[in-house]
């Protein structure tokens, strides 16, 4: 029969886990999901063996550490879809996504499913994708979103927004807001009856056999 851990040992284990998750968010937020686990352990002030006792794989660590990021993404999508003005909701989603990314490099990794099979952002993206698709449909129907917009254009947006993370951190929020404003104008349908300039075909961003943009 396994005896329960003493209260002090349980408290130490809980504290170690919290420090590891805080460190993972900080390290992944600054360096992205490619940062090594040993850097997370160093940042947390624990031995790598201690980290691996709590999280046997890097994927398990990512899945737990990015829970807050995934929730923030879902909240942004849900709030945008609830807006009675679909174009305003669409704009607010762009602004919020860029804001989240500007504060954390791993946000783009989460959205673009860098570790799909482990962190399981694929499932989150799958849950959010119908809502974003519906928001885009409503915004197109209002005549204010260009008709050739596809949801995967948001992935291209994040890939381009990655450059904003290279500016000094103090200037990053303002640079991100300016970038979002440019992107919104690019997605906006032209006024009157003018047709938007035609776009090149959407590039293949997924492995062969995966579903395409919708």
């Amino acid at each position: 029969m396994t005896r329960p851990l003493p209260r002090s040992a349980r408290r130490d284990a809980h504290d170690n886990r919290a420090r590891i998750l805080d460190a993972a968010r900080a390290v992944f937020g600054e360096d992205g999901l490619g940062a090594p686990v040993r850097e997370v352990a160093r940042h947390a002030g624990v031995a790598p063996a201690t980290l691996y006792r709590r999280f046997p794989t890097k994927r398990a660590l990512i899945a737990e550490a990015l829970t807050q990021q995934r929730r923030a993404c879902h909240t942004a999508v849900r709030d945008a879809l609830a807006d009675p003005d679909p174009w305003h909701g669409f704009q607010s989603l762009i602004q919020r996504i860029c804001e989240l990314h500007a504060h954390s490099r791993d946000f783009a990794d989460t959205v673009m499913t860098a570790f799909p099979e482990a962190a399981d952002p694929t499932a989150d993206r799958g849950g959010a994708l119908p809502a974003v698709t519906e928001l885009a449909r409503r915004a197109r129907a209002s005549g204010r979103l260009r008709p050739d917009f596809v949801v995967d254009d948001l992935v291209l947006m994040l890939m381009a927004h990655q450059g904003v993370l290279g500016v000094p951190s103090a200037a990053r929020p303002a640079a991100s807001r300016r970038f979002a404003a440019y992107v919104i104008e690019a997605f906006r349908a032209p006024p009157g009856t003018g047709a938007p300039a035609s776009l090149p075909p959407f590039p293949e961003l997924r492995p062969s056999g995966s579903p395409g943009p919708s």
Side-chain angles (χ1 to χ4, degrees), residues 2-85:
T2 303
R3 293 183 179 180
L5 290 172
R7 184 183 300 273
S8 60
R10 292 199 302 271
R11 183 169 59 249
D12 288 346
H14 180 272
D15 290 346
N16 281 341
R17 188 175 190 278
R19 284 202 303 273
I20 289 167
L21 288 174
D22 286 344
R25 294 182 188 108
V27 171
F28 294 145
E30 183 61 30
D31 300 331
L33 299 185
V37 171
R38 64 179 178 275
E39 178 60 20
V40 175
R42 188 195 66 77
H43 197 280
V46 301
T50 300
L51 186 152
Y52 280 115
R53 278 199 298 273
R54 306 301 184 277
F55 303 97
T57 66
K58 183 178 183 180
R59 289 177 171 84
L61 175 61
I62 290 170
E64 186 72 18
L66 298 189
T67 298
Q68 185 176 351
Q69 296 283 45
R70 295 194 297 271
R71 286 175 180 167
C73 184
H74 277 293
T75 298
V77 173
R78 184 177 63 247
D79 291 348
L81 189 61
D83 194 314
D85 181 336

Side-chain angles (χ1 to χ4, degrees), residues 23-205:
R25 294 182 188 108
V27 171
F28 294 145
E30 183 61 30
D31 300 331
L33 299 185
V37 171
R38 64 179 178 275
E39 178 60 20
V40 175
R42 188 195 66 77
H43 197 280
V46 301
T50 300
L51 186 152
Y52 280 115
R53 278 199 298 273
R54 306 301 184 277
F55 303 97
T57 66
K58 183 178 183 180
R59 289 177 171 84
L61 175 61
I62 290 170
E64 186 72 18
L66 298 189
T67 298
Q68 185 176 351
Q69 296 283 45
R70 295 194 297 271
R71 286 175 180 167
C73 184
H74 277 293
T75 298
V77 173
R78 184 177 63 247
D79 291 348
L81 189 61
D83 194 314
D85 181 336
W87 175 243
H88 182 268
F90 182 85
Q91 292 181 85
S92 70
L93 179 61
I94 298 299
Q95 292 162 348
R96 184 62 179 145
I97 286 174
C98 288
E99 179 186 358
L100 289 167
H101 190 202
H103 283 90
S104 184
R105 189 180 300 272
D106 61 11
F107 180 78
D109 291 335
T110 304
V111 173
M112 293 191 287
T113 65
F115 282 81
E117 70 276 20
D120 205 17
T122 298
D124 286 340
R125 188 170 184 260
L129 187 59
V132 177
T133 301
E134 174 61 15
L135 176 64
R137 186 196 66 76
R138 294 179 188 177
R140 280 194 297 263
S142 76
R144 287 177 287 178
L145 175 64
R146 56 184 301 146
D148 51 358
F149 170 85
V150 294
V151 172
D152 276 352
D153 284 330
L154 298 181
V155 175
L156 291 179
M157 179 193 78
L158 276 174
M159 292 168 68
H161 187 265
Q162 194 81 15
V164 171
L165 303 181
V167 305
S169 57
R172 199 176 294 166
S176 180
R177 287 191 295 269
R178 187 173 178 87
F179 176 90
Y182 273 121
V183 168
I184 288 169
E185 288 307 308
F187 288 155
R188 188 191 301 269
T193 58
S198 61
L199 297 175
F202 195 88
E204 180 59 56
L205 299 180

